[in-house]
């Protein structure tokens, strides 16, 4: 689905009529397909290290001469108001389950945008900051659409194109981190207190911080997905950015949480990114103690 901000009113009406009345045509053109939820898609979207409560290992900790561990941060821009998005959510769940099985350092996160709410269903996970963040990736693709997956800030594809997304992740896993990140998080009075440290020779960067809910479900009653029961994994529920200085840097973040947030299995994801919204140079995932 193409964002209304990227179209005129008349063309938007034409596109929405195609999306609602001819979804099969859209899926055929994009290579997307809706599949029934499998057991694998019910698995939490967590990296193997996260399952053991570990943060990402620092490149400086590797053996002399050994390459830094590859990683892939996957940002999925999605919406409960978009009929093409559930297939992408399911695809990312399967990819994450395979990555966990293979002990691959894949860090998926669902970022729910707000620009489809006008269709009649208010996505309770959406945040206008996620819509703004997606707009920052227009250098990768001039169109703003859902479902869109961005891998390590450098490559994008249709989120439900599982073959293409898997290939982009595999490519990213061959490249090591250039920023070492360590991360810890603690519950404190229904909030999350986060402490981070970084080490890098990169020029000044941005640190992106997310509180990630492990899983959630919604029964949609209106809009394009009316009647659907949607399962989500690794949903971003709070977000902040901090500046990172070259060399060693550290800092803290105190994150509030919505009332419907479930702390079970929640994590904090952090990744360093060249400005403005360029390549991601390192990532870490932490349990919340």
């Amino acid at each position: 689905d193409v964002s209304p901000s990227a179209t005129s009113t008349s063309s938007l009406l034409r596109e929405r009529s195609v999306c609602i009345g001819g979804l099969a045509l859209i899926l055929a053109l994009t290579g997307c397909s809706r599949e029934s939820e499998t057991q694998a898609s019910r698995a939490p979207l967590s990296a193997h290290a996260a399952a053991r409560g570990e943060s990402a290992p620092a490149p400086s900790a590797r053996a002399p001469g050994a390459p830094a561990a590859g990683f892939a941060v996957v940002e999925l821009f999605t919406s409960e108001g978009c009929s093409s998005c559930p297939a992408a959510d399911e695809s990312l769940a399967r990819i994450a389950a395979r990555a966990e099985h293979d002990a691959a350092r894949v860090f998926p996160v669902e970022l729910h945008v707000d620009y489809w709410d006008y269709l009649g269903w208010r996505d309770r996970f959406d945040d206008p900051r996620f819509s703004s963040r997606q707009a920052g990736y227009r250098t990768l693709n001039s169109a703003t659409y859902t479902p869109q997956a961005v891998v390590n800030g450098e490559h994008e594809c249709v989120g439900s194109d599982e073959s293409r997304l898997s290939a982009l992740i595999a490519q990213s896993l061959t490249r090591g981190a250039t920023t070492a990140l360590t991360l810890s998080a603690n519950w404190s009075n229904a909030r999350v207190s986060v402490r981070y440290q970084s080490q890098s020779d990169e020029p000044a960067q941005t640190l992106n911080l997310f509180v990630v809910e492990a899983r959630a479900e919604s029964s949609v009653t209106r809009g394009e997905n009316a009647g659907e029961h949607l399962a989500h994994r690794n949903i971003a529920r709070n977000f902040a950015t901090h500046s990172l200085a070259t060399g060693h840097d550290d800092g803290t973040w105190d994150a509030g949480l919505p009332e419907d947030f479930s702390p079970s299995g929640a994590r904090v994801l952090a990744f360093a990114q060249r400005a403005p919204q360029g390549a991601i140079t390192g990532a870490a995932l932490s349990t919340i103690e």
Side-chain angles (χ1 to χ4, degrees), residues 12 15 22 30 78 80 97 99 102 115 125 137 142 182 189-190 233:
L12 173 61
E15 289 172 9
T30 61
T78 185
E80 290 188 338
D102 296 338
Y115 50 77
F125 304 112
Y137 283 127
S142 58
T182 57
N189 298 321
R233 304 292 181 266

Side-chain angles (χ1 to χ4, degrees), residues 92-167:
L92 189 59
R94 288 189 291 271
I95 287 171
R98 290 194 295 268
E100 183 174 343
H101 179 270
D102 296 338
R105 297 182 64 238
V106 178
F107 304 97
V109 59
E110 285 189 11
L111 305 181
H112 288 239
V113 299
D114 67 342
Y115 50 77
W116 294 120
D117 289 354
Y118 83 99
L119 291 175
W121 178 253
R122 168 70 163 81
D123 187 336
R124 67 188 176 99
F125 304 112
D126 70 24
D127 191 319
R129 296 177 299 171
F130 301 155
S131 300
S132 296
R133 180 164 180 80
Q134 184 184 24
Y137 283 127
R138 283 181 183 155
T139 55
L140 302 179
N141 188 321
S142 58
T144 298
Y145 68 95
T146 55
Q148 182 185 31
V150 177
V151 181
N152 276 2
E154 296 183 291
H155 308 283
E156 69 87 33
C157 69
V158 175
S160 51
D161 187 343
E162 195 165 328
S163 177
R164 175 62 177 160
L165 181 54
S166 296

Side-chain angles (χ1 to χ4, degrees), residues 201-222:
D201 293 330
E202 293 274 348
Q205 300 183 90
T206 297
L207 181 70
N208 301 282
L209 294 153
F210 295 89
V211 176
V212 180
E213 190 169 0
R215 60 177 65 216
E217 298 183 5
S218 293
S219 294
V220 180
T221 61
R222 295 183 301 278

